[in-house]
Amino acid sequence: MQYQTSTQTASTISAGCIVVTLDGAGKLSDSANAINVASNGYIQDRFNAKDIQGKLAETLLLPSVPGITAQRVLLVGTGSEPLHAGSATKVLNAIAKATAKLSGSLVVALEELANETLNAAWWAEHSAMALVKTQYRYTTTKKAAEDDNSAPDTLIWIGSDQLSALHKGNAIGNGINYCKTLGDLPPNICTPSYLADQAHELAHTNTLKVTVLDEAELAEMGAGAFVSVAKGSSEPGKMIIMQYQGGQPDEPAHLILGKGITFDTGGISLKPGLKMDEMKYDMCGAASVLGTMQAILALQPKINVIGMITSAENMPAGNASKPGDVVTSLSGKTIEILNTDAEGRLVLCDAMTYAIRHLKPATMVDIATLTGACMAALGEVNSGLFTQDDTLANELIAAAQHSHDRVWRLPLEDDYQELLDSNFADIANIGGPLAGATTAACFLSRFSEDTPWAHLDIAGTAWGGAGKSKGASGRPVALLVNYLLAKQ
Ligand code: BES
Ligand code: MN
Ligand code: ZN
């Protein structure tokens, strides 16, 4: 997709399609009105004839409107309430859907919708993002439909110069689509080694330093928690480190760490068979780190960012960990593995210790499909946010609001820590039936030392839908990119 801005009027600009809006009372935006005047009231007639009523995200595609230059007009309803990020996103998704298969240029007259909460840059960024996102197709192991090859080639923004916002939205949209591709890949393709190859591929075309730690090195180092998960699989586990330097070399980096369990059977604490295929999505934290790094590389912010992935396959096997095993983590703390299905925290804790010791980040945010309990609590709407650091919490919440990639802060108080007491080790890897999302976060908090750290549980938000609409969501790439860009 190409991006341009223009100050031409809606009635005379040439376009494959021009997008203009009207509200729930039938009030036309300035651009809709310009088209209405040039066409002798054709738009007003559509409203009067109830072809469109202006309801939120309602669309009407008009193939030829007399008296104007554009080949098509898409009328979009904005409803009767002031727009906020949620309703505005609905409007943009409706536009993206209605124009997804048109060819040529797409002109959008949406700056007129800017208000106190959503400025012109927000609209431009989210317009580009919505259009890029609708172009997502899974094609690795299934061909695209034959009629599915046209798409708008240029997005032209009418109004002020919003090129940088358009490019930001484009980069985030591409990062989201990349994250979705990785999430949707089958687990026999998307292995820890495949994720490491992806990191090298990002480094190939960009300025990114990639380091991959293999299972033998990690065992040698003493990462007993990580190895306790990886050892039961014939796919070798890996930790992947991607260092982007946009700031000064001595400036501490902001680190994002993704859980990359490329398939989670539960191990010896085997999961039930129903929907077990969905455990291919247990690497979506890792996928969101790759998607975010791709966007960061496209946008080149002046900060240092480290994307890290801790990746393994959780399998039952003769040499797999057993409930009751006690292992020593890289930090030196011993862990009683009471349930081999609580493996995410085991691969994450050693990655946190490695990062703190060797990479000394300014901040650390982990992203993980960690608990069914978080999914039960927050559904597919909000990711769970856990941190004791209010500054970090506020930064992540602000980024979530801007991107409409929402989070809800859940408790992480010391009172929950005792649920992880073990008779035989420093800490148990599960905390019983209560507060499952919080006890998982408590477990991780034991390994954060003095580094400002936050945990995002994306178990409910990383993928969703059922039947034809089942797939990875690309979350929380938009949140992470906005969070990192605000560090500039
Ligand atoms: N990957 C799962 C969490 C999960 C489950 C995400 C379902 C999305 C949907 C994680 O490794 C896991 O199995 N967690 C256990 C923890 C329990 C054993 C304490 C869970 O949530 O049941
Ligand atoms: Mn598990
Ligand atoms: Zn898991």
Side-chain angles (χ1 to χ4, degrees):
M1 184 95 72
Q2 302 290 308
Y3 297 93
Q4 292 172 15
T5 54
S6 168
T7 50
Q8 265 183 279
T9 44
S11 51
T12 56
I13 192 165
S14 48
C17 181
I18 180 164
V19 180
V20 296
T21 63
L22 75 168
D23 71 13
K27 184 173 183 301
L28 305 182
S29 68
D30 290 350
S31 292
N33 190 53
I35 290 177
N36 188 50
V37 170
S39 64
N40 275 322
Y42 188 83
I43 303 297
Q44 190 62 50
D45 289 348
R46 300 283 69 72
F47 179 77
N48 294 344
K50 296 207 166 152
D51 292 334
I52 185 163
Q53 294 172 293
K55 288 185 198 152
L56 184 73
E58 188 187 4
T59 58
L60 178 66
L61 184 64
L62 302 168
S64 55
V65 174
I68 69 155
T69 314
Q71 288 171 307
R72 294 177 193 80
V73 173
L74 180 73
L75 285 177
V76 185
T78 56
S80 305
E81 308 285 333
L83 292 169
H84 53 79
S87 53
T89 300
K90 284 192 179 140
V91 169
L92 293 174
N93 288 342
I95 293 170
K97 197 173 166 206
T99 59
K101 291 191 176 158
L102 299 181
S103 48
S105 64
L106 185 65
V107 174
V108 295
L110 296 176
E111 186 155 328
E112 296 152 53
L113 298 179
N115 61 24
E116 268 171 26
T117 27
L118 308 175
N119 60 18
W122 187 95
W123 282 99
E125 173 188 334
H126 286 77
S127 299
M129 195 172 94
L131 291 182
V132 171
K133 276 174 68 178
T134 45
Q135 300 305 327
Y136 175 73
R137 300 285 182 281
Y138 176 83
T139 56
T140 311
T141 49
K142 185 180 177 177
K143 283 205 187 82
E146 271 180 27
D147 63 341
D148 193 18
N149 46 22
S150 53
D153 55 26
T154 313
L155 174 59
I156 302 173
W157 181 262
I158 296 196
S160 56
D161 179 3
Q162 294 298 341
L163 268 186
S164 74
L166 292 166
H167 284 132
K168 179 183 169 192
N170 180 64
I172 295 174
N174 284 330
I176 288 171
N177 288 351
Y178 179 38
C179 175
K180 289 169 77 159
T181 303
L182 293 169
D184 284 337
L185 281 174
N188 58 331
I189 293 180
C190 187
T191 60
S193 306
Y194 185 91
L195 292 175
D197 289 347
Q198 292 298 303
H200 283 301
E201 216 145 282
L202 279 182
H204 206 69
T205 45
N206 298 284
T207 45
L208 188 71
K209 184 182 160 205
V210 174
T211 312
V212 177
L213 306 171
D214 65 31
E215 207 175 310
E217 264 175 281
L218 288 159
E220 175 73 12
M221 215 183 279
F226 177 88
V227 170
S228 77
V229 178
K231 69 177 184 176
S233 169
S234 46
E235 288 294 342
K238 313 238 183 237
M239 282 194 202
I240 304 158
I241 299 162
M242 294 166 274
Q243 290 173 280
Y244 164 81
Q245 193 198 304
Q248 296 304 314
D250 55 348
E251 213 175 283
H254 297 288
L255 188 142
I256 54 174
L257 166 64
K259 171 181 172 183
I261 296 295
T262 59
F263 196 77
D264 181 12
T265 63
I268 296 299
S269 312
L270 193 65
K271 286 183 181 295
L274 188 71
K275 293 204 198 171
M276 206 208 270
D277 65 290
E278 295 191 5
M279 283 299 115
K280 73 174 185 179
Y281 290 115
D282 212 18
M283 38 57 70
C284 280
S288 76
V289 168
L290 282 161
T292 300
M293 293 312 284
Q294 189 200 61
I296 291 295
L297 286 166
L299 296 167
Q300 297 278 311
K302 292 188 168 35
I303 44 166
N304 295 339
V305 178
I306 301 174
M308 185 167 176
I309 288 169
T310 180
S311 185
E313 203 180 56
N314 187 23
M315 297 292 276
N319 63 338
S321 294
K322 303 166 290 294
D325 282 0
V326 174
V327 297
T328 304
S329 65
L330 185 57
S331 73
K333 288 191 166 104
T334 55
I335 302 168
E336 186 183 15
I337 301 174
L338 287 171
N339 190 320
T340 64
D341 198 10
E343 84 298 339
R345 59 199 80 180
L346 296 174
V347 296
L348 284 163
C349 70
D350 279 349
M352 289 170 70
T353 302
Y354 182 92
I356 292 167
R357 287 193 190 162
H358 298 276
L359 308 168
K360 301 183 174 57
T363 61
M364 181 158 67
V365 176
D366 78 78
I367 310 100
T369 47
L370 206 61
T371 64
C374 190
M375 188 160 131
L378 301 177
E380 294 186 351
V381 178
N382 282 286
S383 303
L385 164 62
F386 301 83
T387 181
Q388 275 151 346
D389 188 308
D390 289 341
T391 309
L392 208 44
N394 291 337
E395 289 172 0
L396 287 161
I397 289 167
Q401 280 168 348
H402 176 89
S403 56
H404 196 56
D405 187 349
R406 285 172 285 173
V407 298
W408 196 270
R409 193 173 178 184
L410 291 169
L412 179 60
E413 290 155 297
D414 286 342
D415 310 60
Y416 293 99
Q417 290 284 357
E418 65 192 40
L419 293 169
L420 295 169
D421 287 350
S422 158
N423 290 346
F424 307 108
D426 296 329
I427 183 173
N429 83 324
I430 56 168
L434 303 178
T438 287
T439 52
C442 284
F443 181 94
L444 297 177
S445 76
R446 304 269 189 119
F447 300 86
S448 64
E449 300 181 28
D450 294 329
T451 304
W453 159 81
H455 159 58
L456 293 170
D457 193 331
I458 58 165
T461 54
W463 79 94
K468 273 194 168 176
S469 70
K470 179 163 130 186
S473 66
R475 291 175 67 181
V477 170
L479 157 64
L480 292 171
V481 176
N482 277 290
Y483 156 74
L484 290 169
L485 292 181
K487 296 278 189 191
Q488 281 185 99

